[in-house]
Amino acid sequence: MQNQEIAKTFYEIADFLEIKEVEYKPRAYRTAAENIESLSTDIEDIHDRNELEEIEGIGESIAEKVAEYLDTGYLAYYEDLKADLPIDIEAITSVKGVGPKTAKKLYLELDVLTLEDLEHAAENGAIAELEGFGKASQQNILDRIEWAKRSQERMLLGRAFPIARSIETRLQNSDAFDRVDIVGSFRRRRPTVGDLDILATASAPEVAMEEFCTHDNVKEVLARGNTKSSVIVSGGLQIDLRIVDDSEYGAALIYFTGSKDHNITLRNRAIDHGWKLNEYGLFDVSDVDDVRGGQRVGKRIASETEPDIYDTLNTTWIQPELREDTGEVDAAAASELPDLVERSDMKGDLHLHTKYSNGSHSVREIAVAADELGMEYILITDYGPHVPTPHTLDAETFDSQQTEIKEVNDDADIAVTVLQGIEAEITDEGLEIPEDWHEACDLVVAGIHSQPSNPTEQVRIAFHEFPIDVFAHPTNRLINEHGSLDLDLNVVMETASDEHIAVEINARPERLDLDWQFIKEYRETVHYVVSTDSHMTDELDNMQLGVSQARRGWCETDNVLNTRSLDDLMAFYGK
DNA sequence: GCCGTTTTCGGCCCGACTGTTTTCAGTCG
């Protein structure tokens, strides 16, 4: 999968062209890069099918360049640009406030080629001497270099959650703020967030901004105005706050929730009606000659709430998780949006570890915690043999676990039903667990925790020949750590469907695996389960993260097996 | 360089903030 690599190359090309002051091409390359980045299929497959030009934003010329790169591993156009301007453009523009134009000037005047050069130039005081720069610019660059080095990675949604909730609560409880909502990719529940975007109303914006920017937790103020401020809080997360007028809140919610592509599709829908949609509202500009004459030009026809605006555009309100421009606007126009699964629909958790492998709590402790969360049933799935971890079940611990599960189930004070399962390793020998364990287990969860040479074939054979009920964390990805198994998901998902095996949506923050784009693609044929893979009681609450990804994948309750009662779940498996 | 139920040529999203250049270019989202 070379999608990300190609996207990165095109982003760099865009920067180089911008430095050369070429008009419009930078935008074309950036659009192409964005669209390649968000493809759910391997661009090499698209190339093989000769369909590169069917990708939005890719025409003849860029398609040729993609093909050249895929066929030869080399892109002459890019290499020529780089030879001409040997700047490490990606690193340098990763410093906030430094874009292509600044990079060019620093290169021409100070011979800055790398991040290290940039750091030296700032430390030496050379940047402050340049025309158009001053001490403040130089200091900003210096301050943000460290941060750029650290913030290459986006924050996991699960890590951002407590931070977001705490800030949201703080602002909501403050007299300076009226309405407060976390928007942006957090509201859409993307698996990772680059920053947190907050939208608010306040009767005295300057007071609210003062309070926001001077809080103890704020480490740096990047920008501060009466409607918009940006800060960095301890831990390095950037928080952007936007204060808007109450009467324009709905328009602002849509605008700042995004995604950008969703907004463009909405805006185009507005244009089709002779209207204009921006962060201030939906305006009828059909009688206005100069649409660009102002932000609130024309007659305002909707702006107060999100439903007002969607209604006026003749669509139903769209859940934030769906706003990725993957057909949701057309579906809303046809009143065909899915009735998304909710956290409260979840009746069971089918992937849990206890002290019998590497969990921190006993079966009883997990059961009590799950009971408090209102679960009807849980499946204990400690590691079976061949999982690459020192803490796997053996004959003795398997039996002890069985005894403890029976005790907990006999305890009238614990309502949740505890099932015995296992998380078995799929190896090239298949599923090597003792025969009687199959008998004893209510359900078998299987996954891969290593990097086999041919995982697709391994999975296909295991699915076919062994009694597997759930395929855990299908790609074995760890976000920000390592990528996915080199797996042909088409084959895996089709085989899962044929063999009546559910595919897990793993709710651990660093996994969120299966990815939402594949969830959506296969939801008609494959049954999913959402499981937390908890290793301690505190992690049971990650269920909401998993459900959010199922929602991003357009899942309704029917698509997710563990929304069913225990009887119905077992009936699905014929048990 | 891409794109088109008004266009195959002539458009390309746009508003806020910063720093510094006394009127705006660059950057960001």
Side-chain angles (χ1 to χ4, degrees), chain A residues 514-555:
Chain A
L514 195 64
D515 191 81
W516 66 274
Q517 298 180 62
F518 295 109
I519 299 174
K520 178 169 187 255
E521 193 171 338
Y522 293 102
R523 72 189 188 288
E524 308 285 347
T525 49
V526 173
H527 285 91
Y528 296 116
V529 304
V530 180
S531 299
T532 64
D533 194 358
S534 291
H535 288 62
M536 57 183 77
T537 54
D538 280 352
E539 293 174 352
L540 291 168
D541 215 25
N542 284 334
M543 183 60 83
Q544 61 178 330
L545 296 178
V547 170
S548 70
Q549 301 311 295
R551 290 167 63 84
R552 287 175 64 77
W554 294 49
C555 284

XYZ file of all heavy atoms in Angstrom, chain A residues 514-555:
353
model
N -11.170 -3.162 13.093
C -11.130 -2.756 11.712
C -11.318 -1.247 11.552
O -12.067 -0.633 12.287
C -12.254 -3.517 10.983
C -12.225 -3.538 9.471
C -11.027 -4.250 8.896
C -13.491 -4.216 8.961
N -10.643 -0.684 10.567
C -10.785 0.724 10.276
C -12.177 1.015 9.695
O -12.745 0.209 8.966
C -9.714 1.132 9.267
C -9.639 2.634 9.115
O -9.005 3.268 9.970
O -10.231 3.168 8.159
N -12.691 2.215 10.025
C -14.075 2.558 9.653
C -14.362 2.450 8.157
O -15.459 2.105 7.748
C -14.411 3.958 10.153
C -13.619 5.058 9.497
C -12.385 5.509 9.860
C -14.017 5.842 8.368
N -11.974 6.515 9.025
C -12.959 6.741 8.109
C -15.150 5.875 7.559
C -13.009 7.658 7.051
C -15.195 6.788 6.517
C -14.131 7.666 6.281
N -13.371 2.719 7.319
C -13.639 2.692 5.874
C -13.953 1.269 5.403
O -14.796 1.066 4.536
C -12.448 3.259 5.106
C -12.206 4.708 5.473
C -11.034 5.330 4.740
O -11.036 5.425 3.530
N -10.044 5.763 5.482
N -13.257 0.294 6.016
C -13.541 -1.095 5.657
C -14.845 -1.569 6.295
O -15.577 -2.368 5.710
C -12.372 -1.991 6.079
C -11.107 -1.693 5.328
C -10.039 -1.078 5.957
C -11.003 -2.002 3.979
C -8.883 -0.780 5.259
C -9.840 -1.707 3.277
C -8.774 -1.095 3.919
N -15.113 -1.059 7.512
C -16.384 -1.417 8.159
C -17.523 -1.060 7.221
O -18.425 -1.847 6.958
C -16.559 -0.662 9.494
C -15.437 -1.021 10.477
C -17.927 -0.974 10.107
C -15.458 -0.216 11.774
N -17.449 0.152 6.697
C -18.521 0.631 5.818
C -18.607 -0.244 4.558
O -19.686 -0.661 4.153
C -18.263 2.090 5.427
C -19.307 2.640 4.479
C -19.178 4.150 4.320
C -20.330 4.715 3.518
N -19.989 5.088 2.154
N -17.441 -0.526 3.991
C -17.402 -1.258 2.728
C -18.033 -2.647 2.834
O -18.676 -3.116 1.901
C -15.939 -1.360 2.267
C -15.778 -1.824 0.842
C -14.324 -1.704 0.379
O -13.552 -0.905 0.966
O -13.968 -2.432 -0.568
N -17.845 -3.318 3.980
C -18.274 -4.716 4.074
C -19.498 -4.924 4.954
O -19.854 -6.046 5.273
C -17.112 -5.574 4.592
C -15.980 -5.658 3.604
C -14.829 -4.893 3.776
C -16.073 -6.484 2.491
C -13.793 -4.940 2.855
C -15.043 -6.547 1.569
C -13.907 -5.773 1.755
O -12.902 -5.837 0.849
N -20.172 -3.833 5.343
C -21.238 -3.997 6.334
C -22.443 -4.783 5.812
O -23.205 -5.331 6.594
C -21.686 -2.630 6.860
C -22.492 -1.807 5.871
C -22.698 -0.396 6.403
N -23.617 0.374 5.573
C -23.346 0.858 4.361
N -22.159 0.633 3.817
N -24.229 1.542 3.692
N -22.589 -4.866 4.514
C -23.729 -5.604 3.970
C -23.524 -7.118 4.044
O -24.489 -7.878 4.054
C -23.959 -5.229 2.492
C -24.070 -3.746 2.205
C -25.406 -3.164 2.652
O -26.318 -3.940 2.947
O -25.513 -1.918 2.707
N -22.262 -7.544 4.052
C -22.008 -8.982 3.964
C -21.429 -9.590 5.239
O -21.566 -10.789 5.456
C -21.028 -9.290 2.816
O -19.906 -8.415 2.942
C -21.684 -9.064 1.471
N -20.777 -8.774 6.049
C -20.084 -9.329 7.212
C -20.764 -8.864 8.502
O -21.203 -7.725 8.595
C -18.605 -8.864 7.207
C -17.901 -9.273 8.481
C -17.883 -9.425 5.997
N -20.866 -9.756 9.473
C -21.359 -9.365 10.795
C -20.190 -8.898 11.647
O -19.124 -9.498 11.635
C -22.049 -10.543 11.478
C -23.401 -10.824 10.915
N -23.618 -11.693 9.873
C -24.623 -10.315 11.241
C -24.908 -11.717 9.577
N -25.546 -10.896 10.390
N -20.432 -7.840 12.400
C -19.379 -7.317 13.265
C -19.703 -7.551 14.732
O -20.868 -7.714 15.100
C -19.223 -5.806 13.046
C -18.758 -5.448 11.647
C -19.570 -4.709 10.793
C -17.502 -5.850 11.192
C -19.147 -4.380 9.502
C -17.078 -5.526 9.909
C -17.907 -4.791 9.064
O -17.473 -4.487 7.806
N -18.652 -7.565 15.564
C -18.840 -7.394 16.997
C -17.951 -6.226 17.411
O -16.906 -5.987 16.792
C -18.469 -8.655 17.818
C -19.243 -9.865 17.328
C -16.979 -8.914 17.775
N -18.380 -5.480 18.408
C -17.541 -4.420 18.954
C -17.094 -4.874 20.332
O -17.933 -5.168 21.194
C -18.312 -3.084 19.087
C -17.393 -2.009 19.659
C -18.876 -2.642 17.741
N -15.787 -5.009 20.521
C -15.265 -5.510 21.795
C -14.158 -4.614 22.308
O -13.459 -3.958 21.531
C -14.712 -6.928 21.617
O -15.729 -7.808 21.192
N -13.993 -4.613 23.642
C -13.024 -3.656 24.209
C -11.619 -4.234 24.333
O -10.666 -3.474 24.468
C -13.465 -3.180 25.603
O -13.460 -4.295 26.498
C -14.827 -2.520 25.540
N -11.475 -5.586 24.334
C -10.138 -6.161 24.504
C -9.514 -5.615 25.789
O -8.316 -5.337 25.851
C -9.276 -5.796 23.274
C -8.003 -6.601 23.159
O -7.741 -7.439 24.048
O -7.261 -6.371 22.189
N -10.363 -5.453 26.820
C -9.886 -4.839 28.072
C -8.892 -5.732 28.800
O -9.052 -6.949 28.861
C -11.072 -4.575 29.006
O -11.889 -3.565 28.500
N -7.883 -5.112 29.362
C -6.946 -5.808 30.228
C -7.109 -5.342 31.672
O -6.404 -5.787 32.562
C -5.505 -5.588 29.755
C -5.188 -6.333 28.496
N -5.853 -6.093 27.305
C -4.297 -7.335 28.229
C -5.364 -6.903 26.362
N -4.430 -7.665 26.893
N -8.001 -4.390 31.896
C -8.332 -3.941 33.251
C -9.721 -3.319 33.229
O -10.225 -2.946 32.163
C -7.291 -2.943 33.757
C -7.106 -1.730 32.872
S -5.806 -0.639 33.478
C -4.346 -1.544 32.950
N -10.334 -3.241 34.405
C -11.744 -2.824 34.451
C -11.955 -1.418 33.876
O -12.977 -1.168 33.247
C -12.267 -2.870 35.906
O -11.393 -2.100 36.733
C -12.332 -4.295 36.416
N -10.987 -0.527 34.082
C -11.144 0.841 33.572
C -11.327 0.889 32.056
O -11.869 1.843 31.520
C -9.897 1.686 33.914
C -9.949 2.161 35.351
O -11.008 1.966 35.993
O -8.943 2.712 35.828
N -10.825 -0.127 31.376
C -10.862 -0.103 29.914
C -12.204 -0.529 29.330
O -12.433 -0.380 28.122
C -9.735 -0.991 29.347
C -8.358 -0.418 29.639
C -7.210 -1.333 29.228
O -7.470 -2.499 28.846
O -6.052 -0.886 29.299
N -13.090 -1.048 30.183
C -14.396 -1.484 29.666
C -15.153 -0.333 29.012
O -15.949 -0.524 28.096
C -15.239 -2.067 30.813
C -14.745 -3.402 31.371
C -15.468 -3.735 32.667
C -14.957 -4.512 30.356
N -14.867 0.867 29.495
C -15.556 2.044 28.978
C -15.121 2.415 27.549
O -15.744 3.239 26.897
C -15.296 3.228 29.922
C -16.515 4.125 30.004
O -17.625 3.616 29.756
O -16.354 5.323 30.290
N -14.043 1.788 27.068
C -13.618 2.031 25.683
C -14.680 1.585 24.685
O -14.564 1.883 23.493
C -12.308 1.295 25.373
C -11.101 2.003 25.980
O -11.138 3.209 26.200
N -10.056 1.240 26.270
N -15.685 0.870 25.174
C -16.771 0.439 24.284
C -17.281 1.612 23.440
O -17.578 1.471 22.253
C -17.911 -0.168 25.117
C -19.059 -0.707 24.300
S -18.597 -2.022 23.152
C -18.603 -3.466 24.213
N -17.364 2.780 24.061
C -17.877 3.939 23.318
C -16.974 4.284 22.123
O -17.468 4.756 21.092
C -18.010 5.154 24.235
C -16.685 5.592 24.844
C -16.832 6.842 25.713
O -17.696 7.671 25.474
N -15.980 6.957 26.716
N -15.675 4.042 22.252
C -14.774 4.312 21.125
C -15.043 3.344 19.984
O -15.080 3.734 18.807
C -13.305 4.172 21.548
C -12.756 5.146 22.584
C -11.304 4.795 22.892
C -12.866 6.564 22.075
N -15.210 2.074 20.348
C -15.486 1.065 19.332
C -16.801 1.344 18.631
O -16.901 1.259 17.397
N -17.819 1.689 19.429
C -19.124 1.982 18.839
C -19.020 3.188 17.903
O -19.624 3.222 16.826
C -20.187 2.227 19.938
C -21.475 2.760 19.340
C -20.453 0.939 20.700
N -18.205 4.165 18.285
C -18.071 5.354 17.425
C -17.503 4.964 16.062
O -17.880 5.545 15.039
C -17.201 6.426 18.103
O -15.844 6.024 18.163
N -16.613 3.967 16.037
C -16.048 3.546 14.748
C -17.068 2.754 13.943
O -17.131 2.864 12.715
C -14.770 2.734 14.956
C -13.687 3.498 15.712
C -13.432 4.887 15.154
O -12.981 5.047 14.022
N -13.725 5.929 15.933
N -17.892 1.960 14.634
C -18.980 1.244 13.945
C -19.927 2.265 13.318
O -20.394 2.093 12.188
C -19.727 0.353 14.933
N -20.177 3.344 14.054
C -21.053 4.406 13.531
C -20.411 5.059 12.307
O -21.079 5.342 11.319
C -21.325 5.444 14.623
C -22.222 4.914 15.738
C -22.211 5.829 16.955
N -22.744 7.158 16.701
C -24.036 7.482 16.739
N -24.939 6.563 17.012
N -24.417 8.722 16.510
N -19.091 5.319 12.393
C -18.407 5.886 11.226
C -18.519 4.942 10.029
O -18.485 5.383 8.884
C -16.932 6.167 11.542
C -16.736 7.374 12.452
C -15.285 7.560 12.852
N -14.408 7.848 11.731
C -14.306 9.019 11.124
N -15.044 10.036 11.517
N -13.478 9.185 10.118
N -18.637 3.642 10.329
C -18.796 2.650 9.267
C -20.253 2.393 8.906
O -20.562 1.378 8.303
N -21.157 3.298 9.298
C -22.578 3.252 8.910
C -23.326 2.063 9.491
O -24.320 1.599 8.928
C -22.746 3.260 7.378
C -22.329 4.506 6.682
C -21.164 5.175 6.838
C -23.070 5.253 5.693
N -21.129 6.295 6.022
C -22.292 6.348 5.305
C -24.325 5.077 5.100
C -22.703 7.281 4.349
C -24.738 6.005 4.134
C -23.924 7.098 3.776
N -22.854 1.515 10.620
C -23.498 0.325 11.172
C -24.766 0.651 11.947
O -24.808 1.580 12.746
C -22.540 -0.411 12.110
S -21.280 -1.341 11.237
